[in-house]
C-alpha cells in the first residue's frame, strides 16, 4: 500500500512554489522601487524650491523608505507564506491550473500519514489518485501558467518613474540628480546643488590664517547664474 505523494507531485509542488515566490519577490521590488522613486523625486523638487527644510528632509526620506517597504510587503511579500505548506501550495495550484481542481489537494490530504492509519475508503482508489495526479502534473510548464507578463503593470509603474526622472534630469538648472541624492541619502552631508559657482582668486591659499580684525583682500569669480 503506497499512499504517499509521488515524486512527480513533490517536484511539481516545489517548482510551482519557486516560480510563484520569484514573481512575488519581483513584484515587491518593482512596487517598492516605483513608490520610492516617485516620493524621492517629489522631495527633491520641494528641496529645489526651498519648501523642504534640512531639519525635516531626512525624516521624510526615512518615512519614504518605510512606506516603500510596507507597500512591498502589502502587495507581495505577505503572500509568499501562503504556499509554505503542501496543502497551501496545492490550493494555489488548483487556482492556477483548473485541470487539477479538486485533485491535487485531495492527493496531498490523502497522503497525510495520520490518515493512512485508518483508511476508511478504498486503498486502490487512493493509490490510483496519487498515480493520476503525478501523471497530470508531470511536465507542466509553470512559467507558462505563471507568466512574467502578470508583472506588466509593475514594470510600467517602475519604468514610468525612471523615465520621468530621466526627462527631469535634462531640464537645465534643475540639478535633479544632486537633489535626488540628498533625498535618497537623508543623513549624508551633501550640499545643495546650485547653478552659481564661486571660485576664490585671492588670497591664493583660501585657508590662510590671519589675526583677528585684519583686513584681507578677497577676490572671487562667479560662474553660472547671475547674482
Amino acid at each position: 500500500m503506497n499512499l504517499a505523494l509521488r515524486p512527480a507531485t513533490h517536484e511539481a509542488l516545489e517548482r510551482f512554489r519557486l516560480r510563484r515566490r520569484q514573481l512575488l519577490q519581483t513584484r515587491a521590488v518593482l512596487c517598492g522601487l516605483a513608490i520610492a522613486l516617485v516620493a524621492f523625486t517629489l522631495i527633491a523638487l520641494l528641496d529645489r524650491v526651498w519648501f523642504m527644510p534640512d531639519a525635516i528632509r531626512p525624516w521624510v526620506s526615512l518615512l519614504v523608505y518605510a512606506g516603500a517597504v510596507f507597500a512591498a510587503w502589502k502587495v507581495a511579500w505577505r503572500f509568499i507564506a501562503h504556499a509554505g505548506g503542501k496543502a497551501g501550495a496545492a490550493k494555489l495550484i488548483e487556482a492556477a491550473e483548473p485541470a487539477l481542481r479538486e485533485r491535487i489537494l485531495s492527493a496531498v490530504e490523502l497522503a497525510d500519514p495520520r490518515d493512512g492509519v485508518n483508511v476508511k475508503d478504498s486503498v486502490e482508489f487512493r493509490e490510483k489518485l496519487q498515480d493520476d495526479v503525478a501523471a497530470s502534473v508531470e511536465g507542466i510548464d509553470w512559467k507558462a501558467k505563471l507568466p512574467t507578463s502578470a508583472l506588466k503593470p509593475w514594470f510600467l509603474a517602475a519604468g514610468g518613474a525612471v523615465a520621468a526622472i530621466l526627462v527631469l534630469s535634462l531640464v537645465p538648472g534643475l540639478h535633479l540628480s544632486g537633489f535626488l541624492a540628498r533625498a535618497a541619502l537623508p543623513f549624508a552631508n551633501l550640499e545643495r546643488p546650485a547653478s552659481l559657482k564661486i571660485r576664490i582668486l585671492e588670497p591664493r591659499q583660501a585657508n590662510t590664517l590671519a589675526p583677528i580684525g585684519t583686513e584681507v583682500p578677497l577676490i572671487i569669480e562667479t560662474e553660472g547664474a547671475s547674482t
Side-chain angles (χ1 to χ4, degrees):
M1 180 177 69
N2 182 12
L3 305 180
L5 285 177
R6 303 301 187 253
T9 308
H10 272 293
E11 183 183 355
L13 289 170
E14 289 303 317
R15 285 190 289 114
F16 172 82
R17 187 181 291 117
L18 177 61
R19 175 62 177 173
R20 182 175 177 274
R21 182 170 65 245
Q22 290 174 342
L23 291 179
L24 287 175
Q25 288 174 342
T26 305
R27 184 199 295 181
V29 171
L30 292 174
C31 173
L33 180 64
I35 290 176
L37 288 177
V38 171
F40 285 145
T41 301
L42 292 176
I43 293 174
L45 294 176
L46 291 175
D47 191 22
R48 173 68 178 82
V49 296
W50 296 90
F51 288 170
M52 186 66 65
D54 286 341
I56 298 177
R57 176 178 47 81
W59 304 106
V60 175
S61 297
L62 290 180
L63 286 177
V64 169
Y65 279 116
V69 171
F70 176 77
W73 173 84
K74 185 76 173 176
V75 303
W77 274 327
R78 67 190 180 107
F79 297 115
I80 294 178
H82 292 181
K86 288 185 176 65
K91 290 179 181 178
L92 294 170
I93 286 178
E94 290 187 351
E97 180 52 67
L100 295 172
R101 192 161 296 163
E102 298 182 359
R103 296 176 61 202
I104 189 169
L105 180 58
S106 298
V108 170
E109 291 175 343
L110 293 176
D112 191 338
R114 294 170 297 181
D115 256 356
V117 179
N118 299 313
V119 178
K120 297 179 181 179
D121 53 12
S122 169
V123 175
E124 291 77 9
F125 166 75
R126 292 193 177 195
E127 288 184 327
K128 186 176 186 307
L129 174 64
Q130 297 295 354
D131 293 336
D132 289 345
V133 170
S136 299
V137 299
E138 196 170 11
I140 292 181
D141 184 6
W142 292 113
K143 290 185 178 180
K145 299 297 181 182
L146 301 175
T148 308
S149 59
L151 300 176
K152 182 179 179 180
W154 305 102
F155 277 112
L156 291 176
V162 172
I165 290 174
L166 293 177
V167 170
L168 290 174
S169 298
L170 299 177
V171 178
L174 190 57
H175 305 292
L176 184 64
S177 59
F179 286 105
L180 271 178
R182 281 165 56 88
L185 303 173
F187 293 104
N189 187 20
L190 300 176
E191 65 179 356
R192 288 177 54 85
S195 300
L196 177 64
K197 305 298 181 184
I198 300 176
R199 185 166 63 253
I200 298 177
L201 302 180
E202 293 291 343
R204 293 187 177 277
Q205 294 183 352
N207 59 349
T208 300
L209 297 179
I212 294 177
T214 302
E215 292 185 0
V216 177
L218 182 65
I219 302 176
I220 65 172
E221 181 182 60
T222 61
E223 177 182 348
S226 58
T227 60

